[in-house]
Amino acid sequence: MSNFRLGLTGALVGALVVLLIHPVTRPFVQNGLWRFGVSQAADQSPTIAQNLNVLPEPSDLVTASLWMSEGCRRIKANHHLTTNELLTFVEIAQASAEREPDNAFWAHTEAIFQQALDNPEASVRAWKRASKLDQWNDYQNQRLAQYVADLNKEEGRQMAWHWALAYSVKGFHTPALIAQYGLTQLRNDNSLDSRLDLIRSGLLVRDGARSRLGSELGWQMIESGALGTSIALDSRKEFVARRFSFIDQLAQANRNEDAIYVNSVLASNEAWDAALKGVEKQNRPRFLSAQAAIIATLPGSLLLAALASTLVYVLGTLFRSVLFKFKEGWILPAILAAVVGSILFFLTRLTFPTVFMIIVLAGFLIRPRVAPLDRKEFHFDAWMVWASAIIGLMFLVAITGVASFQSPPVKTVDDYADLGLNLIYSRETGLTLAVIFTGALIGLAQVWAYLRRRDPYIASGMALKSMGMTGLVVGIVLGVVTCPLVIAADRQLTDTLSQIVQNEPTYYLQDL
Amino acid sequence: MSRKPNFKELLSLDRDKSFSAKEKETLSKLLASDNALAEEQEEFNLSLNFLKDAAYDEEEIKVDDTFNGRVIRRFRVEQRNRSWSSMLPAVVGAVTAAVGLIAIIQVVSAPVTESTLDLQNQKAELETSEFPVIPEFTE
């Protein structure tokens, strides 16, 4: 081996050792190389109600907010709640409101549970009380911060996909039920006071929900309060006229302060509408989440694909150095097809690629009249060399995709955020492609051997070795090179996604 | 295509290795056909004998019993040194790559500067929602 090759090999080994040992790079290498399946922390963290068998004792406001959120989630899903359970929710809401009298979240949720208990008077009292307050905090951010901390602990480092996951588990049941409750109240009581209460509550939810969807519900409450109806108006002219007639009505009733307040709220609502509504913004967190999940797996997946390429190289060596000695007869192709077919089916459980490979290996039954000279030593034509290298790269991409999409970041984010990545590139698709690429190269080598009167086992072995070596070298080099790039990109995505999770509307306003 | 050796080279080769029957026959034919060549061979043999005598005139070199062992050990040590030095490019490559990668990782993984913006308490409002009052001017 030349000094240059020795140096290059040493550099790759040195870099690999650092990637595997360094605490910063290790999380990026382990995902896709040896960690697969859904994240355990995501499925077991007690900060998410879905992971709990029993709700924890509401000894602090954060846990109490978890109770409120869970109660609203059950009502939203039409899940039956007993009277005792509803009474418990009401008691927790009242107790929390005593501890934090400025937070309208407790009064809003009490109104919802009182309504579910069929206590309309108590419910309306809580609703009106909420509209007089000036804060709204559902403590979801605090719970999500703990959720992200649990994921960090599992991974050994904070990564962008943790925030992507936090965004996907963010609930909107409470703002949705509050909006629903407010609009029902509007239908029952269309008075100026009732409409004003709805606008005040809407403003609290819009500014306090800290998510685009939650804020949009608050925005809807404000608009409905101003219009005096929850029904969408077709005419823009009528919309504007009714919206501002409410201000006139307040002024005519000598409620100038309220009129100024409503005018200001409606102006801010218009600004909110212009800044935050739009298809692009709806898709941005999903796009960023997919990006965060995939890049977190890239170095590890490339290294796994390099390992798989090593197996192809070993298979090529077997063909090249051993199998060609047993060239005569049908027994060897039959054994080869049976063994390789069985191993493939055992590993992949896929029928089509297994049958394809068996058919390709059966091609060894057709033997060309091998030229007597240079039986073992020959060179490929240039197109065969290129074909082996290109198929090696295609194999690398196919296996990288499988490893990436089966690793915890992609699998968990895809499951929780319903991104549909599994539909684009499933494990079955990737493995089928990898087997077809390998089989196609063996078939191509057989055809070449037949045309050039060479031994097909040796030709196939040479092609597989070339393919495996291409995948091995490119996989390791890319795995090493992409790691620092991925770390830098992940850092930026962590910053962006954490801002979106903590306060999505503010993030978009900053971005204007 | 190989070059045909000249007469001097043939003489030298004759000393260095055993000729095949065909080569010996060619040499004999050359010597028989040309006296000058025969003389040249004689001179060559004479010179070689002088050289041999000069080499063997010295006293016989006496070596102790451990000489062979020492030679073999020296050979092994040199062989091992050679194998280590042959791995030097790999070691240099590994160390360089490891140090370089650690340096890059340190740079790219530096914590993001915390934003001074208080996201938790920030309200989602545009500052332009309020308009300044237009003053009335009097002459």
Side-chain angles (χ1 to χ4, degrees), chain A residues 145-367:
Chain A
Q146 186 53 49
Y147 183 63
V148 169
D150 290 345
L151 292 165
N152 294 351
K153 208 180 292 173
E154 180 190 46
E155 200 82 62
R157 175 188 163 80
Q158 187 181 98
M159 294 171 84
W161 72 272
H162 299 157
W163 288 103
L165 208 56
Y167 182 81
S168 71
V169 298
K170 206 165 185 180
F172 306 102
H173 324 290
T174 316
L177 275 186
I178 292 169
Q180 194 179 320
Y181 180 94
L183 299 181
T184 310
Q185 277 298 110
L186 185 67
R187 279 195 290 276
N188 296 337
D189 178 6
N190 206 2
S191 66
L192 291 181
D193 281 336
S194 172
R195 289 166 72 180
L196 201 57
D197 287 343
L198 184 58
I199 289 174
R200 287 183 196 283
S201 284
L203 184 66
L204 286 166
V205 172
R206 192 195 73 185
D207 292 348
R210 298 189 181 96
S211 65
R212 197 184 57 79
L213 280 174
S215 291
E216 196 169 330
L217 290 161
W219 177 89
Q220 183 65 49
M221 289 163 73
I222 293 169
E223 292 298 321
S224 298
L227 296 172
T229 175
S230 60
I231 301 162
L233 300 171
D234 292 334
S235 161
R236 179 73 189 165
K237 192 178 171 186
E238 190 188 350
F239 172 80
V240 174
R242 286 186 70 159
R243 204 163 175 263
F244 288 103
S245 74
F246 182 53
I247 299 169
D248 293 340
Q249 288 170 38
L250 286 169
Q252 282 164 15
N254 289 326
R255 297 172 67 169
N256 288 335
E257 274 188 20
D258 290 339
I260 292 167
Y261 168 76
V262 170
N263 189 39
S264 153
V265 172
L266 288 180
S268 70
N269 228 29
E270 281 171 17
W272 191 98
D273 187 41
L276 280 103
K277 276 195 172 175
V279 177
E280 195 272 333
K281 290 186 178 65
Q282 282 174 11
N283 292 330
R284 193 187 295 185
R286 290 171 67 80
F287 175 72
L288 291 174
S289 298
Q291 212 179 329
I294 290 171
I295 65 161
T297 66
L298 210 53
S301 304
L302 279 164
L303 293 177
L304 186 83
L307 272 180
S309 298
T310 312
L311 287 181
V312 172
Y313 185 87
V314 170
L315 189 70
T317 309
L318 193 73
F319 274 73
R320 173 84 173 76
S321 310
V322 182
L323 293 183
F324 87 97
K325 290 175 184 167
F326 311 93
K327 57 187 186 299
E328 300 300 338
W330 57 271
I331 297 174
L332 179 62
I335 292 173
L336 204 59
V339 171
V340 175
S342 305
I343 293 171
L344 261 185
F345 190 74
F346 176 74
L347 291 175
T348 64
R349 308 277 170 196
L350 298 171
T351 313
F352 171 66
T354 307
V355 171
F356 176 78
M357 188 56 95
I358 288 171
I359 291 170
V360 167
L361 293 174
F364 284 115
L365 287 168
I366 307 165
R367 291 192 58 79

Side-chain angles (χ1 to χ4, degrees), chain A residues 3 6-7 10-11 14-15 18-19 22 24-25 134 141-142 157 203 206-207 210 264 267-268 271-272 275 480 484 487-488 491 495 499 502-503 505-506 509-510 512, chain B residues 86-95 97-99 101-102 104-113 115 117-126 128-131:
Chain A
N3 282 351
L6 265 174
V18 172
L19 292 188
H22 201 290
V24 174
T25 53
D134 59 0
N141 273 1
Q142 281 83 342
R157 175 188 163 80
L203 184 66
R206 192 195 73 185
D207 292 348
R210 298 189 181 96
S264 153
S268 70
W272 191 98
V480 170
I487 291 169
R491 195 182 61 161
D495 192 38
Q499 285 187 43
Q502 289 174 72
N503 200 334
T506 304
L509 288 176
Q510 271 183 295
L512 280 176
Chain B
S86 68
M87 291 304 288
L88 195 64
V91 175
V92 170
V95 172
V99 171
L101 195 60
I102 289 169
I104 294 170
I105 291 164
Q106 288 306 114
V107 172
V108 297
S109 65
V112 177
T113 312
S115 170
L117 187 72
D118 180 11
L119 285 168
Q120 293 279 344
N121 298 314
Q122 187 103 353
K123 284 194 174 183
E125 283 182 351
L126 281 181
T128 52
S129 61
E130 300 287 343
F131 296 100

Side-chain angles (χ1 to χ4, degrees), chain B residues 22-83:
Chain B
K22 198 178 174 183
E23 286 166 333
K24 276 183 178 170
E25 191 188 335
T26 310
L27 186 64
S28 303
K29 277 181 185 174
L30 277 169
L31 290 169
S33 63
D34 194 340
N35 284 339
L37 294 179
E39 281 173 21
E40 197 174 331
Q41 186 199 27
E42 207 163 311
E43 276 177 25
F44 181 79
N45 288 339
L46 202 62
S47 308
L48 205 65
N49 287 338
F50 272 125
L51 279 171
K52 274 182 180 173
D53 290 345
Y56 297 129
D57 271 353
E58 297 291 327
E59 277 186 29
E60 196 181 340
I61 298 167
K62 295 202 187 296
V63 291
D64 60 31
D65 297 340
T66 61
F67 178 76
N68 288 344
R70 281 190 283 122
V71 168
I72 290 168
R73 196 164 57 244
R74 177 78 179 267
F75 172 73
R76 283 182 180 158
V77 167
E78 278 187 2
Q79 204 173 26
R80 196 175 59 209
N81 287 345
R82 228 182 354 257
S83 72

